[in-house]
Amino acid sequence: LSAPLRAEPVRAEQAPNSGAPALARVAVVGFPNVGKSTLVNRLAGVREAVVDAQPGVTRDRKELPAEWRGRRFLLVDTGGVDERDEGEIQRQVRAQVARALEQADLVLLVCDARAGLRPGDVEAARAVSRSGRPALVVANKVDDPRQLGLAQEFWALGLGEPLAVSAAHGLGTGDLLDQVVELLERSVGDRERDQAGNVGESAAATPPAEDLRRVALIGRPNVGKSSLLNRLVGEERVIVTPIAGTTRDPIDSEVEFEGRRFVLVDTAGIRRRGRIDEPVEWYARLRAERAAQRADVAIVVADAREGVTADDLRIAELAMRSHCATVIALNKWDVATCDLEEVKARVASRLRQRPPVVPVSALTGRGLKRLVALALELAERVHERLPTPALNRLLSETLALRQPPAVRGKRLRAYYFTQYATAPPRFALQVSDKGLVARDWILFLENRLRERFGLEGVPLVIDLRERG
Ligand code: GDP
Ligand code: GDP
């Protein structure tokens, strides 16, 4: 694969020398063979691979200049671990991390997502946290979007959201570089504030956003996400406040639209276009999944000239699996060629969570107020707990309407229905015998539950419990 270069290498005349302030140093650490060297080369835009395919090859520590979004920094490949013996490797990794930490402004802890979480990763993460240095966890070797889930395991390192990349194929590296630059800017800002002796001033100026609902705007390229974003933030009268003071969400924005306040997740990602060399679908999917994981509700944007496509359905499914509520915005309604009722029927038959479909136009502004109101409504539902008596009334009515089918001559008895968790809502249905439960009947119950309590678009789980 010959993906284009990621970051521009720094030209000789720009290199740090006489009198210029020292470049920030980004140390790349991790177990041997996780792909540190490959990543450094990729991020620095070095074309010819300096990587030996053999595991554990000795290398000298290497420093490469890199640049992203006009910010220059040094990537430090700490390398130098060449032992095959486990104990010795661990000792050397420790020494390597310690060395890197001494001088780093930011640490990238690289792990092998295919190999999964290993004791060496945990140990390195501990050293990184103790140092107090800003750090990012990079889950490498995610070569295929279907493997994105592999990165989740590395949350366990306690260093925040693991970023899935494929250093070999240049996937996910744009997001990684965004985060690197963001964190470097922040740590420089912190240092300057420390020196000026007015720590915390900017944090105090930012209103708290914890109690606001979180909304993700996701979808395929060109469906109109950026246009919708512009509408929501009020074009030129920008009311967007980047939320400061949190390490994990540097790119979220607080938005006020038609009197409603919420947090729009990953605003930078919505706007990003044209400079990403990753395959479009890979990126769209990656961003959709990441944004949905941090949101209460996802607005899945589709193009009304095409209706809801198979890709749109897949993105909505991804959001649901991230336990995020979904609403489908059928954008470009001003030039629609699809039939709304047909689209709604298709969505209801194809998506288990049955998200509502709202026609909108980023161009004219039509439908946006309703879309936002509905999205925020669903976000509330995700966190709501339904009263047990109401659920049991629904259960009796459902049983009266349609009895569970008999299996091997025996009929299921359902005794009790209750909600035991929120976000996502989780229900328990107490039954006589789990072996008698027909999937169709549970779906019937689930759909009635959605209709009765306005849970269309809300991910929910019904657990079966046998009466003991
Ligand atoms: P280091 O020891 O951590 O510096 O790891 P290297 O960069 O030397 O890579 C170790 C091995 O992993 C090499 O064979 C690389 O080709 C391979 N590798 C690195 N990145 C990726 C990746 O994203 N996907 C896959 N499949 N292999 C990778
Ligand atoms: P993104 O890739 O999802 O962020 O899509 P953009 O917001 O960049 O929009 C892609 C194209 O669709 C642009 O040319 C927009 O002007 C156009 N577009 C976006 N929303 C609408 C709309 O509601 N109506 C019409 N007619 N065009 C739109």
Side-chain angles (χ1 to χ4, degrees):
L1 262 149
S2 60
L5 301 185
R6 296 299 333 162
E8 288 300 321
V10 181
R11 276 183 293 276
E13 66 267 25
Q14 297 172 311
N17 49 25
S18 53
L23 291 182
R25 299 167 69 88
V26 179
V28 180
V29 303
F31 231 61
N33 224 30
V34 292
K36 296 183 295 300
S37 192
T38 311
L39 183 70
V40 164
N41 288 336
R42 171 67 65 181
L43 296 182
V46 174
R47 208 183 272 278
E48 51 313 332
V50 200
V51 181
D52 196 304
Q54 235 182 323
V57 178
T58 313
R59 284 187 307 266
D60 288 336
R61 182 148 101 170
K62 195 171 62 178
E63 295 191 358
L64 284 175
E67 178 174 344
W68 185 249
R69 288 180 155 184
R71 170 141 204 139
R72 293 199 291 277
F73 52 91
L74 275 183
L75 282 162
V76 185
D77 178 1
T78 43
V81 178
D82 57 1
E83 288 293 327
R84 307 283 171 97
D85 162 70
E86 271 298 305
E88 185 57 17
I89 286 180
Q90 299 232 0
R91 199 192 60 75
Q92 290 206 19
V93 169
R94 271 201 301 277
Q96 170 217 53
V97 170
R99 239 176 9 247
L101 291 177
E102 276 168 26
Q103 305 177 324
D105 297 284
L106 173 65
V107 183
L108 302 187
L109 173 57
V110 185
C111 306
D112 182 337
R114 291 192 179 174
L117 190 64
R118 293 179 292 185
D121 301 329
V122 177
E123 196 167 336
R126 232 177 256 142
V128 170
S129 341
R130 268 199 302 270
S131 78
R133 296 280 173 200
L136 291 168
V137 174
V138 180
N140 189 32
K141 308 198 186 180
V142 181
D143 298 343
D144 184 306
R146 278 167 302 192
Q147 302 170 327
L148 281 168
L150 293 178
Q152 295 309 308
E153 197 178 344
F154 298 92
W155 273 104
L157 295 175
L159 293 172
E161 181 182 10
L163 301 171
V165 307
S166 166
H169 300 172
L171 303 171
T173 44
D175 271 21
L176 173 59
L177 283 164
D178 276 355
Q179 299 260 353
V180 165
V181 165
E182 176 78 36
L183 286 175
L184 285 180
E185 254 146 40
R186 188 173 311 158
S187 75
V188 168
D190 285 352
R191 219 167 27 236
E192 281 162 4
R193 265 197 306 283
D194 283 355
Q195 279 156 8
N198 57 351
V199 187
E201 214 173 73
S202 76
T206 313
E210 303 85 64
D211 44 357
L212 293 179
R213 293 300 181 213
R214 302 169 60 84
V215 180
L217 206 49
I218 59 179
R220 290 181 294 124
N222 283 320
V223 289
K225 297 180 297 298
S226 318
S227 310
L228 285 169
L229 170 69
N230 289 341
R231 275 277 171 180
L232 292 177
V233 301
E235 318 276 358
E236 294 314 311
R237 307 170 292 111
V238 179
I239 324 172
V240 184
T241 334
I243 296 167
T246 57
T247 2
R248 271 198 42 229
D249 314 335
I251 38 177
D252 300 344
S253 301
E254 197 179 308
V255 173
E256 184 166 337
F257 181 77
E258 302 270 357
R260 289 170 193 270
R261 285 170 71 215
F262 56 94
V263 171
L264 204 49
V265 170
D266 185 19
T267 339
I270 298 168
R271 284 223 167 87
R272 176 176 309 119
R273 55 171 38 264
R275 57 187 194 74
I276 283 295
D277 57 13
E278 289 132 341
V280 160
E281 292 313 323
W282 197 93
Y283 182 69
R285 197 175 158 133
L286 175 70
R287 201 195 80 81
E289 186 163 51
R290 268 196 206 145
Q293 271 161 2
R294 300 198 294 117
D296 299 299
V297 59
I299 296 176
V300 180
V301 186
D303 186 329
R305 293 174 305 181
E306 301 168 82
V308 171
T309 68
D311 282 336
D312 300 332
L313 292 171
R314 267 194 286 278
I315 287 180
E317 233 158 47
L318 262 177
M320 181 186 66
R321 265 188 270 125
S322 302
H323 295 154
C324 189
T326 40
V327 51
I328 293 181
L330 204 47
N331 188 36
K332 311 194 190 181
W333 194 246
D334 53 295
V335 288
T337 52
C338 64
D339 178 78
L340 183 60
E341 291 314 311
E342 265 170 32
V343 169
K344 282 183 175 169
R346 173 169 155 84
V347 166
S349 72
R350 299 289 294 278
L351 290 174
R352 177 147 185 183
Q353 78 268 36
R354 299 190 159 215
V357 180
V358 186
V360 301
S361 168
L363 196 69
T364 67
R366 179 193 157 154
L368 285 186
K369 190 173 175 179
R370 190 168 151 240
L371 175 68
V372 168
L374 190 59
L376 293 178
E377 174 83 3
L378 289 180
E380 288 312 312
R381 294 273 175 276
V382 171
H383 293 275
E384 204 170 68
R385 196 182 289 270
L386 297 171
T388 302
L391 287 172
N392 283 290
R393 261 198 309 279
L394 177 82
L395 176 62
S396 342
E397 287 167 23
T398 305
L399 286 166
L401 258 168
R402 193 203 277 195
Q403 284 208 335
V407 177
R408 295 181 303 274
K410 285 169 82 179
R411 199 176 292 284
L412 176 80
R413 295 167 66 84
Y415 304 109
Y416 191 66
F417 197 26
T418 184
Q419 182 180 353
Y420 68 94
T422 61
R426 286 177 188 274
F427 300 84
L429 179 66
Q430 197 183 49
V431 296
S432 52
D433 180 352
K434 283 204 252 184
L436 296 178
V437 176
R439 192 183 135 78
D440 276 4
W441 188 80
I442 287 292
L443 270 179
F444 182 68
L445 175 66
E446 183 175 317
N447 287 336
R448 292 191 48 80
L449 181 65
R450 291 186 188 285
E451 282 160 24
R452 173 71 55 90
F453 299 106
L455 296 175
E456 279 110 347
V458 176
L460 58 83
V461 182
I462 298 179
D463 285 332
L464 299 172
R465 303 219 170 130
E466 267 174 31
R467 183 134 99 171

Short mmCIF file of all heavy atoms in Angstrom, two decimals, residues 75-129:
data_model
loop_
_atom_site.label_atom_id
_atom_site.label_comp_id
_atom_site.label_asym_id
_atom_site.label_seq_id
_atom_site.Cartn_x
_atom_site.Cartn_y
_atom_site.Cartn_z
N LEU A 75 9.92 13.81 16.65
CA LEU A 75 9.47 12.49 17.05
C LEU A 75 10.68 11.69 17.50
O LEU A 75 11.67 11.61 16.77
CB LEU A 75 8.84 11.78 15.85
CG LEU A 75 7.43 12.21 15.50
CD1 LEU A 75 7.11 11.78 14.09
CD2 LEU A 75 6.43 11.63 16.49
N VAL A 76 10.59 11.13 18.67
CA VAL A 76 11.73 10.40 19.20
C VAL A 76 11.36 8.92 19.29
O VAL A 76 10.50 8.53 20.07
CB VAL A 76 12.10 10.93 20.59
CG1 VAL A 76 13.37 10.24 21.09
CG2 VAL A 76 12.29 12.44 20.55
N ASP A 77 12.02 8.15 18.45
CA ASP A 77 11.81 6.69 18.48
C ASP A 77 12.83 6.13 19.44
O ASP A 77 14.02 6.12 19.15
CB ASP A 77 12.02 6.15 17.06
CG ASP A 77 11.89 4.63 17.01
OD1 ASP A 77 11.61 4.02 18.05
OD2 ASP A 77 12.07 4.07 15.92
N THR A 78 12.36 5.71 20.59
CA THR A 78 13.32 5.33 21.63
C THR A 78 14.00 4.00 21.35
O THR A 78 15.10 3.78 21.81
CB THR A 78 12.63 5.29 23.00
OG1 THR A 78 11.39 4.67 22.83
CG2 THR A 78 12.45 6.67 23.53
N GLY A 79 13.36 3.13 20.60
CA GLY A 79 13.99 1.88 20.13
C GLY A 79 14.91 1.22 21.13
O GLY A 79 14.67 1.24 22.34
N GLY A 80 15.95 0.63 20.63
CA GLY A 80 17.06 0.16 21.47
C GLY A 80 16.78 -1.05 22.33
O GLY A 80 17.61 -1.41 23.15
N VAL A 81 15.64 -1.69 22.17
CA VAL A 81 15.40 -2.90 22.96
C VAL A 81 15.63 -4.10 22.05
O VAL A 81 14.92 -4.30 21.08
CB VAL A 81 13.96 -2.92 23.51
CG1 VAL A 81 13.72 -4.20 24.28
CG2 VAL A 81 13.73 -1.71 24.38
N ASP A 82 16.64 -4.88 22.35
CA ASP A 82 17.00 -5.92 21.39
C ASP A 82 17.07 -7.31 21.99
O ASP A 82 17.62 -8.23 21.42
CB ASP A 82 18.33 -5.57 20.72
CG ASP A 82 19.43 -5.40 21.74
OD1 ASP A 82 19.14 -5.58 22.95
OD2 ASP A 82 20.57 -5.12 21.36
N GLU A 83 16.50 -7.47 23.17
CA GLU A 83 16.59 -8.78 23.82
C GLU A 83 15.41 -9.66 23.47
O GLU A 83 14.30 -9.19 23.31
CB GLU A 83 16.66 -8.60 25.34
CG GLU A 83 17.99 -8.04 25.81
CD GLU A 83 19.12 -9.02 25.58
OE1 GLU A 83 18.86 -10.24 25.67
OE2 GLU A 83 20.25 -8.58 25.31
N ARG A 84 15.63 -10.95 23.41
CA ARG A 84 14.52 -11.87 23.16
C ARG A 84 13.99 -12.40 24.50
O ARG A 84 12.89 -12.90 24.57
CB ARG A 84 14.98 -13.06 22.32
CG ARG A 84 15.70 -12.67 21.04
CD ARG A 84 14.69 -12.22 20.00
NE ARG A 84 15.35 -11.64 18.84
CZ ARG A 84 15.61 -12.31 17.74
NH1 ARG A 84 15.28 -13.56 17.66
NH2 ARG A 84 16.19 -11.74 16.72
N ASP A 85 14.80 -12.29 25.50
CA ASP A 85 14.43 -12.83 26.81
C ASP A 85 13.41 -11.92 27.48
O ASP A 85 13.62 -10.71 27.59
CB ASP A 85 15.72 -12.96 27.65
CG ASP A 85 15.42 -13.08 29.12
OD1 ASP A 85 14.90 -14.14 29.51
OD2 ASP A 85 15.67 -12.13 29.86
N GLU A 86 12.29 -12.50 27.91
CA GLU A 86 11.17 -11.71 28.43
C GLU A 86 11.56 -10.74 29.55
O GLU A 86 11.25 -9.57 29.50
CB GLU A 86 10.07 -12.64 28.95
CG GLU A 86 9.05 -13.05 27.92
CD GLU A 86 8.27 -11.88 27.34
OE1 GLU A 86 7.67 -11.11 28.11
OE2 GLU A 86 8.28 -11.74 26.10
N GLY A 87 12.27 -11.29 30.54
CA GLY A 87 12.61 -10.48 31.69
C GLY A 87 13.51 -9.31 31.29
O GLY A 87 13.31 -8.18 31.73
N GLU A 88 14.44 -9.62 30.44
CA GLU A 88 15.38 -8.60 30.00
C GLU A 88 14.65 -7.55 29.15
O GLU A 88 14.90 -6.35 29.26
CB GLU A 88 16.52 -9.26 29.22
CG GLU A 88 17.63 -8.33 28.80
CD GLU A 88 18.27 -7.58 29.97
OE1 GLU A 88 18.10 -7.98 31.14
OE2 GLU A 88 18.93 -6.57 29.70
N ILE A 89 13.71 -8.01 28.33
CA ILE A 89 12.94 -7.07 27.52
C ILE A 89 12.21 -6.09 28.43
O ILE A 89 12.24 -4.88 28.24
CB ILE A 89 11.92 -7.81 26.62
CG1 ILE A 89 12.66 -8.48 25.47
CG2 ILE A 89 10.89 -6.85 26.07
CD1 ILE A 89 11.75 -9.22 24.50
N GLN A 90 11.57 -6.66 29.45
CA GLN A 90 10.80 -5.80 30.36
C GLN A 90 11.70 -4.75 31.00
O GLN A 90 11.33 -3.59 31.12
CB GLN A 90 10.16 -6.66 31.46
CG GLN A 90 9.20 -7.66 30.88
CD GLN A 90 7.85 -7.61 31.55
OE1 GLN A 90 7.64 -6.80 32.45
NE2 GLN A 90 6.95 -8.45 31.11
N ARG A 91 12.89 -5.20 31.43
CA ARG A 91 13.80 -4.28 32.09
C ARG A 91 14.21 -3.17 31.11
O ARG A 91 14.24 -2.00 31.45
CB ARG A 91 15.04 -5.04 32.57
CG ARG A 91 15.83 -4.31 33.65
CD ARG A 91 17.19 -4.96 33.89
NE ARG A 91 18.01 -4.96 32.68
CZ ARG A 91 18.63 -3.90 32.18
NH1 ARG A 91 18.54 -2.73 32.80
NH2 ARG A 91 19.34 -3.98 31.08
N GLN A 92 14.48 -3.58 29.88
CA GLN A 92 14.92 -2.60 28.91
C GLN A 92 13.79 -1.64 28.51
O GLN A 92 14.02 -0.46 28.27
CB GLN A 92 15.46 -3.31 27.66
CG GLN A 92 16.77 -4.01 27.95
CD GLN A 92 17.61 -4.14 26.68
OE1 GLN A 92 17.39 -3.44 25.70
NE2 GLN A 92 18.57 -5.03 26.72
N VAL A 93 12.56 -2.17 28.43
CA VAL A 93 11.44 -1.29 28.11
C VAL A 93 11.29 -0.24 29.21
O VAL A 93 11.09 0.94 28.95
CB VAL A 93 10.13 -2.09 27.94
CG1 VAL A 93 8.93 -1.16 27.88
CG2 VAL A 93 10.19 -2.94 26.69
N ARG A 94 11.45 -0.71 30.43
CA ARG A 94 11.36 0.24 31.56
C ARG A 94 12.41 1.34 31.42
O ARG A 94 12.12 2.52 31.59
CB ARG A 94 11.58 -0.49 32.88
CG ARG A 94 10.30 -1.04 33.48
CD ARG A 94 10.46 -1.29 34.97
NE ARG A 94 11.53 -2.22 35.29
CZ ARG A 94 11.40 -3.55 35.26
NH1 ARG A 94 10.26 -4.10 34.92
NH2 ARG A 94 12.41 -4.33 35.57
N ALA A 95 13.63 0.92 31.13
CA ALA A 95 14.72 1.88 31.01
C ALA A 95 14.45 2.84 29.85
O ALA A 95 14.65 4.05 29.96
CB ALA A 95 16.05 1.15 30.80
N GLN A 96 13.93 2.28 28.79
CA GLN A 96 13.65 3.07 27.61
C GLN A 96 12.58 4.12 27.90
O GLN A 96 12.72 5.29 27.57
CB GLN A 96 13.16 2.10 26.51
CG GLN A 96 12.61 2.74 25.27
CD GLN A 96 11.42 1.92 24.75
OE1 GLN A 96 10.47 1.64 25.48
NE2 GLN A 96 11.50 1.54 23.50
N VAL A 97 11.53 3.70 28.59
CA VAL A 97 10.46 4.63 28.93
C VAL A 97 11.00 5.72 29.84
O VAL A 97 10.73 6.91 29.64
CB VAL A 97 9.28 3.88 29.59
CG1 VAL A 97 8.28 4.85 30.15
CG2 VAL A 97 8.62 2.94 28.59
N ALA A 98 11.79 5.31 30.81
CA ALA A 98 12.34 6.29 31.75
C ALA A 98 13.18 7.33 31.00
O ALA A 98 13.06 8.53 31.24
CB ALA A 98 13.19 5.58 32.81
N ARG A 99 14.01 6.85 30.09
CA ARG A 99 14.84 7.75 29.31
C ARG A 99 13.99 8.72 28.52
O ARG A 99 14.23 9.93 28.52
CB ARG A 99 15.64 6.90 28.30
CG ARG A 99 17.12 7.04 28.47
CD ARG A 99 17.94 6.15 27.55
NE ARG A 99 17.33 5.41 26.49
CZ ARG A 99 17.25 4.08 26.46
NH1 ARG A 99 17.71 3.35 27.45
NH2 ARG A 99 16.71 3.46 25.43
N ALA A 100 12.98 8.18 27.88
CA ALA A 100 12.14 9.01 27.03
C ALA A 100 11.39 10.05 27.86
O ALA A 100 11.24 11.20 27.47
CB ALA A 100 11.14 8.13 26.28
N LEU A 101 10.95 9.61 29.03
CA LEU A 101 10.14 10.50 29.85
C LEU A 101 10.92 11.69 30.36
O LEU A 101 10.36 12.76 30.59
CB LEU A 101 9.55 9.72 31.04
CG LEU A 101 8.50 8.69 30.63
CD1 LEU A 101 8.02 7.92 31.85
CD2 LEU A 101 7.33 9.37 29.95
N GLU A 102 12.21 11.49 30.54
CA GLU A 102 13.02 12.59 31.06
C GLU A 102 12.88 13.85 30.21
O GLU A 102 12.91 14.96 30.72
CB GLU A 102 14.50 12.19 31.06
CG GLU A 102 14.90 11.41 32.29
CD GLU A 102 16.29 10.79 32.12
OE1 GLU A 102 17.09 11.34 31.33
OE2 GLU A 102 16.54 9.76 32.76
N GLN A 103 12.77 13.64 28.92
CA GLN A 103 12.86 14.80 28.04
C GLN A 103 11.60 15.06 27.23
O GLN A 103 11.56 16.00 26.46
CB GLN A 103 14.00 14.58 27.05
CG GLN A 103 15.32 14.28 27.73
CD GLN A 103 16.38 14.02 26.69
OE1 GLN A 103 16.09 13.43 25.65
NE2 GLN A 103 17.59 14.46 26.97
N ALA A 104 10.61 14.22 27.36
CA ALA A 104 9.48 14.32 26.43
C ALA A 104 8.46 15.37 26.87
O ALA A 104 8.23 15.57 28.06
CB ALA A 104 8.80 12.97 26.32
N ASP A 105 7.85 16.03 25.91
CA ASP A 105 6.72 16.91 26.20
C ASP A 105 5.42 16.12 26.09
O ASP A 105 4.40 16.51 26.63
CB ASP A 105 6.70 18.06 25.20
CG ASP A 105 7.93 18.92 25.34
OD1 ASP A 105 7.99 19.69 26.31
OD2 ASP A 105 8.86 18.78 24.52
N LEU A 106 5.50 15.04 25.35
CA LEU A 106 4.31 14.21 25.14
C LEU A 106 4.79 12.79 24.87
O LEU A 106 5.82 12.59 24.23
CB LEU A 106 3.53 14.73 23.92
CG LEU A 106 2.34 13.90 23.42
CD1 LEU A 106 1.24 13.86 24.46
CD2 LEU A 106 1.78 14.49 22.13
N VAL A 107 4.04 11.81 25.36
CA VAL A 107 4.44 10.42 25.16
C VAL A 107 3.37 9.70 24.34
O VAL A 107 2.18 9.82 24.61
CB VAL A 107 4.57 9.69 26.52
CG1 VAL A 107 5.06 8.27 26.31
CG2 VAL A 107 5.51 10.44 27.45
N LEU A 108 3.80 8.99 23.34
CA LEU A 108 2.88 8.09 22.63
C LEU A 108 3.21 6.67 23.05
O LEU A 108 4.29 6.17 22.78
CB LEU A 108 3.06 8.20 21.11
CG LEU A 108 2.88 9.56 20.46
CD1 LEU A 108 2.92 9.43 18.94
CD2 LEU A 108 1.55 10.19 20.89
N LEU A 109 2.28 6.05 23.74
CA LEU A 109 2.49 4.67 24.16
C LEU A 109 1.85 3.77 23.10
O LEU A 109 0.64 3.78 22.92
CB LEU A 109 1.85 4.43 25.53
CG LEU A 109 1.84 2.97 26.00
CD1 LEU A 109 3.24 2.39 26.04
CD2 LEU A 109 1.19 2.88 27.37
N VAL A 110 2.69 3.05 22.38
CA VAL A 110 2.20 2.23 21.27
C VAL A 110 1.98 0.79 21.73
O VAL A 110 2.82 0.22 22.44
CB VAL A 110 3.20 2.25 20.09
CG1 VAL A 110 2.62 1.50 18.89
CG2 VAL A 110 3.55 3.67 19.71
N CYS A 111 0.82 0.23 21.36
CA CYS A 111 0.52 -1.16 21.69
C CYS A 111 0.13 -1.88 20.41
O CYS A 111 -0.27 -1.25 19.44
CB CYS A 111 -0.65 -1.25 22.67
SG CYS A 111 -0.42 -0.27 24.14
N ASP A 112 0.21 -3.18 20.44
CA ASP A 112 -0.18 -3.99 19.30
C ASP A 112 -1.61 -4.49 19.53
O ASP A 112 -1.85 -5.36 20.36
CB ASP A 112 0.81 -5.18 19.19
CG ASP A 112 0.51 -6.06 17.98
OD1 ASP A 112 -0.64 -6.05 17.50
OD2 ASP A 112 1.43 -6.77 17.55
N ALA A 113 -2.55 -3.88 18.79
CA ALA A 113 -3.96 -4.19 19.02
C ALA A 113 -4.27 -5.64 18.67
O ALA A 113 -5.18 -6.25 19.24
CB ALA A 113 -4.85 -3.26 18.20
N ARG A 114 -3.51 -6.20 17.74
CA ARG A 114 -3.77 -7.60 17.37
C ARG A 114 -3.33 -8.55 18.46
O ARG A 114 -3.96 -9.57 18.69
CB ARG A 114 -2.99 -7.95 16.12
CG ARG A 114 -3.51 -7.24 14.91
CD ARG A 114 -2.86 -7.90 13.74
NE ARG A 114 -3.33 -7.29 12.52
CZ ARG A 114 -2.82 -7.61 11.34
NH1 ARG A 114 -1.85 -8.50 11.28
NH2 ARG A 114 -3.28 -7.04 10.27
N ALA A 115 -2.24 -8.17 19.12
CA ALA A 115 -1.73 -9.03 20.19
C ALA A 115 -2.58 -8.87 21.45
O ALA A 115 -2.56 -9.73 22.33
CB ALA A 115 -0.28 -8.68 20.49
N GLY A 116 -3.30 -7.74 21.54
CA GLY A 116 -4.10 -7.50 22.73
C GLY A 116 -3.25 -6.92 23.85
O GLY A 116 -2.05 -6.74 23.71
N LEU A 117 -3.91 -6.65 24.95
CA LEU A 117 -3.25 -6.03 26.10
C LEU A 117 -2.27 -7.01 26.73
O LEU A 117 -2.63 -8.15 27.03
CB LEU A 117 -4.33 -5.65 27.11
CG LEU A 117 -3.92 -4.79 28.30
CD1 LEU A 117 -3.46 -3.42 27.83
CD2 LEU A 117 -5.10 -4.64 29.24
N ARG A 118 -1.03 -6.56 26.92
CA ARG A 118 -0.02 -7.45 27.50
C ARG A 118 0.58 -6.82 28.74
O ARG A 118 0.51 -5.59 28.91
CB ARG A 118 1.06 -7.73 26.45
CG ARG A 118 0.51 -8.55 25.30
CD ARG A 118 1.55 -8.81 24.26
NE ARG A 118 1.95 -7.61 23.55
CZ ARG A 118 2.79 -7.60 22.52
NH1 ARG A 118 3.34 -8.74 22.11
NH2 ARG A 118 3.11 -6.48 21.92
N PRO A 119 1.18 -7.61 29.60
CA PRO A 119 1.72 -7.08 30.85
C PRO A 119 2.72 -5.93 30.60
O PRO A 119 2.75 -4.97 31.35
CB PRO A 119 2.45 -8.28 31.46
CG PRO A 119 1.83 -9.48 30.84
CD PRO A 119 1.34 -9.08 29.50
N GLY A 120 3.48 -6.05 29.53
CA GLY A 120 4.45 -4.99 29.21
C GLY A 120 3.76 -3.65 28.96
O GLY A 120 4.28 -2.59 29.32
N ASP A 121 2.60 -3.70 28.33
CA ASP A 121 1.85 -2.47 28.08
C ASP A 121 1.44 -1.82 29.39
O ASP A 121 1.51 -0.61 29.57
CB ASP A 121 0.58 -2.76 27.26
CG ASP A 121 0.87 -3.41 25.92
OD1 ASP A 121 1.94 -3.13 25.35
OD2 ASP A 121 0.03 -4.21 25.45
N VAL A 122 0.98 -2.67 30.30
CA VAL A 122 0.49 -2.17 31.58
C VAL A 122 1.64 -1.51 32.34
O VAL A 122 1.49 -0.43 32.92
CB VAL A 122 -0.11 -3.33 32.41
CG1 VAL A 122 -0.55 -2.85 33.78
CG2 VAL A 122 -1.27 -3.96 31.66
N GLU A 123 2.77 -2.18 32.29
CA GLU A 123 3.93 -1.65 33.00
C GLU A 123 4.38 -0.30 32.42
O GLU A 123 4.62 0.66 33.15
CB GLU A 123 5.07 -2.66 32.89
CG GLU A 123 6.14 -2.40 33.89
CD GLU A 123 7.08 -3.58 33.96
OE1 GLU A 123 6.66 -4.69 33.61
OE2 GLU A 123 8.22 -3.37 34.36
N ALA A 124 4.44 -0.24 31.11
CA ALA A 124 4.84 1.01 30.46
C ALA A 124 3.83 2.11 30.80
O ALA A 124 4.21 3.24 31.09
CB ALA A 124 4.93 0.81 28.95
N ALA A 125 2.53 1.76 30.79
CA ALA A 125 1.50 2.75 31.08
C ALA A 125 1.66 3.30 32.49
O ALA A 125 1.47 4.49 32.74
CB ALA A 125 0.12 2.13 30.91
N ARG A 126 2.05 2.43 33.40
CA ARG A 126 2.22 2.85 34.78
C ARG A 126 3.34 3.88 34.88
O ARG A 126 3.22 4.91 35.52
CB ARG A 126 2.53 1.65 35.66
CG ARG A 126 1.62 1.58 36.86
CD ARG A 126 1.90 0.34 37.66
NE ARG A 126 0.90 -0.67 37.45
CZ ARG A 126 1.14 -1.98 37.36
NH1 ARG A 126 2.35 -2.45 37.45
NH2 ARG A 126 0.14 -2.81 37.18
N ALA A 127 4.43 3.58 34.20
CA ALA A 127 5.57 4.51 34.22
C ALA A 127 5.17 5.85 33.60
O ALA A 127 5.52 6.91 34.11
CB ALA A 127 6.74 3.90 33.45
N VAL A 128 4.39 5.76 32.54
CA VAL A 128 3.96 6.99 31.88
C VAL A 128 3.07 7.81 32.82
O VAL A 128 3.25 9.02 32.97
CB VAL A 128 3.22 6.68 30.56
CG1 VAL A 128 2.57 7.92 29.99
CG2 VAL A 128 4.18 6.07 29.54
N SER A 129 2.11 7.15 33.48
CA SER A 129 1.23 7.92 34.37
C SER A 129 2.00 8.52 35.53
O SER A 129 1.72 9.65 35.93
CB SER A 129 0.08 7.12 34.97
OG SER A 129 -0.20 5.99 34.31
#
